[in-house]
Amino acid sequence: MRSQSPSQPPSQSLPPPPARPAGAVGSPSLPFAGGHPRSSDAALAAALFACSFPGSVITFPGQDPSVPWWPGVVLAGASCAALVRRRDRPRGTVVVTLGCAVAASALGYLLTVLLLAPLMAALYSLAVSTDRRTANSFAFTGIALLVGVGLPSGPAGEPLVLKLLGPAAWLLLPTALGTVTRLRAACLDAVRARAEHAERTREEETRRRVTEERMRIARDLHDVVAHHLVLAGLQAGAVARHLPARPEEAARLTADLTGTTASALRELKSTVGLLRRAGDADEPGNAGEPGRPVGATPGLSRLPRLAASFEGAGLEVTLHTEGEPAPITAGAELTAYRIVQEALTNVTKHAGARTAAIRLVYADDRLTVTVTDDGGTHPKVPAPTGGGYGLIGMRERARSAGGRVRTGHRPGGGFEVVTELPLDTRRTNESHPV
């Protein structure tokens, strides 16, 4: 038999009770019992036993008791004693209390609520702690026994309707109340479980978003620092080479180096500023504009400037566009720019190429961005094993924008990076209605 977990009175200072197993719902306890199950059951048994004496002497008006009072009190005492185990032995408790009630009916007692109270309490506990089929089976069995015994053995003059409907009403009432209590407790447990699941889901979603934002900022920092430091290093080396013989060229390269470092500082400020947006909203100087931009977001319109920035590093970059330019989301546009930036930086660092090409191809629903180089004569720096963080960042960026990246060597020499990104078809349809 399934045991029944004890119930506790609600208290705001106590932690919420643990989830109850299926089918185990605590029965209500008396408020003066201190919440202890055994004490509560003993107090309930004593209260019901105190009502058994008047119940054993009740008769119809104008009739004398035909049965001594003490057998009814003894049977009631046995029924009440069985109630002490109603939590962990609900079926056995119903069997004992039902047997005592049938015996009282066979002796000729009038089956009032006072004599049937122990059986009613036992049926309630059974309905609370078991399923509906079990509780109904015991209830209807008890009704059949009490009616079958009470019809021939009941007090003289008792109406037939009372003999038939009285036991049915008194036994079905606690069974129904116990079933409702069990279903309500199961519903509350389900609501509590859903709330806990929703809380865990929110926490996991928050952690996932924090991780994604951290990786995105790391990619931005990697792209900005790698690109500008590589250019700065190459321009500084060119300045050192041309300074003795070609001071005019060295001066131009020095100006380019200054522009490169200034651009790096601007992009670093824009990227790091993302980390301060939430805090800036609370500062007095920024009140009322928590979402103000901290810097211009680079996009496809800045690709010519990006291509020109590599001239000082000795790399000639050409830009070609095929198809009619179509609207693209801001996130996909930033992704395309960063991938092109990283690809050209890798060409400058590793390929030793003299020329590179950027090709933008607009199709019906996607934009294809291809960056190729001529391969050069020999690589400057060997590429790290496994592609490094640059290629990994390209793939992560493309996936976050709903696209993909393919990289590899070209059959005729050199390296290529092909990126496919989705276009903003909603805006395209609005611009070109059918």
Side-chain angles (χ1 to χ4, degrees):
M1 298 183 184
R2 286 177 292 182
S3 61
Q4 184 177 347
S5 60
S7 62
Q8 293 182 351
S11 175
Q12 296 181 353
S13 61
L14 296 177
R20 294 183 294 265
V25 182
S27 301
S29 57
L30 295 181
F32 53 81
H36 300 286
R38 294 300 183 189
S39 301
S40 172
D41 294 340
L44 176 63
L48 295 181
F49 181 72
C51 299
S52 62
F53 180 78
S56 61
V57 297
I58 290 179
T59 60
F60 285 104
Q63 293 184 0
D64 296 329
S66 58
V67 184
W69 60 268
W70 62 268
V73 175
V74 172
L75 293 174
S79 298
C80 294
L83 291 178
V84 178
R85 304 301 302 272
R86 67 188 180 98
R87 297 178 185 271
D88 52 354
R89 297 290 186 269
R91 293 176 178 84
T93 302
V94 172
V95 170
V96 173
T97 54
L98 178 58
C100 294
V102 170
S105 179
L107 291 176
Y109 286 100
L110 180 62
L111 294 180
T112 63
V113 67
L114 298 178
L115 287 181
L116 293 178
L119 177 58
M120 295 171 63
L123 285 174
Y124 176 84
S125 299
L126 180 67
V128 166
S129 59
T130 60
D131 58 280
R132 180 184 300 178
R133 182 176 181 180
T134 300
N136 291 341
S137 298
F138 275 86
F140 285 112
T141 300
I143 293 172
L145 290 176
L146 291 177
V147 172
V149 174
L151 284 176
S153 304
E158 183 179 6
L160 180 61
V161 176
L162 186 59
K163 289 183 178 181
L164 294 176
L165 299 183
W170 294 126
L171 269 61
L172 289 179
L173 177 61
T175 305
L177 291 177
T179 301
V180 171
T181 302
R182 176 178 56 81
L183 294 178
R184 180 177 179 274
C187 180
L188 292 177
D189 288 343
V191 171
R192 186 184 299 110
R194 286 195 297 267
E196 293 175 354
H197 175 71
E199 183 66 23
R200 289 194 300 268
T201 302
R202 283 195 296 269
E203 293 176 356
E204 293 172 359
E205 179 68 14
T206 301
R207 287 194 294 267
R208 184 185 65 81
R209 290 184 179 182
V210 169
T211 301
E212 290 180 353
E213 183 68 10
R214 184 176 59 193
M215 293 179 63
R216 186 188 66 80
I217 294 175
R219 288 194 298 266
D220 285 344
L221 289 176
H222 172 272
D223 293 344
V224 171
V225 172
H227 167 68
H228 290 291
L229 287 185
V230 167
L231 288 183
L234 293 175
Q235 291 168 350
V239 169
R241 290 194 303 271
H242 293 92
L243 184 59
R246 302 171 61 184
E248 296 83 3
E249 182 68 15
R252 186 185 67 81
L253 292 175
T254 302
D256 292 342
L257 177 59
T258 302
T260 299
T261 56
S263 177
L265 289 175
R266 284 195 301 270
E267 292 200 32
L268 281 176
K269 181 180 180 181
S270 176
T271 302
V272 177
L274 295 175
L275 301 175
R276 296 178 54 85
R277 282 187 180 180
D280 288 347
D282 299 331
E283 295 179 5
N286 296 327
E289 45 177 349
R292 62 183 180 86
V294 294
T297 301
L300 298 179
S301 61
R302 293 179 58 178
L303 287 181
R305 185 188 307 176
L306 176 65
S309 66
F310 284 89
E311 294 180 358
L315 179 66
E316 181 181 353
V317 182
T318 58
L319 176 62
H320 302 279
T321 301
E322 300 180 10
E324 182 180 358
I328 186 173
T329 62
E333 189 172 2
L334 176 61
T335 296
Y337 178 88
R338 291 301 188 193
I339 290 177
V340 171
Q341 184 185 55
E342 178 63 24
L344 294 178
T345 301
N346 288 341
V347 171
T348 307
K349 290 172 58 179
H350 307 301
R354 306 298 300 174
T355 62
I358 306 172
R359 187 176 63 177
L360 305 180
V361 179
Y362 289 91
D364 294 336
D365 60 347
R366 66 183 55 216
L367 167 65
T368 303
V369 183
T370 305
V371 180
T372 59
D373 64 79
D374 59 6
T377 56
H378 61 278
K380 292 183 177 181
V381 180
T385 304
Y389 291 108
L391 296 182
I392 295 176
M394 291 182 189
R395 297 187 182 97
E396 291 177 348
R397 282 187 179 278
R399 281 197 299 267
S400 67
R404 60 178 180 173
V405 170
R406 301 194 311 272
T407 61
H409 295 278
R410 302 169 61 198
F415 199 81
E416 70 174 359
V417 176
V418 181
T419 306
E420 296 180 358
L421 296 172
L423 294 175
D424 192 354
T425 56
R426 179 181 58 83
R427 294 174 56 189
T428 303
N429 295 335
E430 294 177 354
S431 301
H432 304 281
V434 178

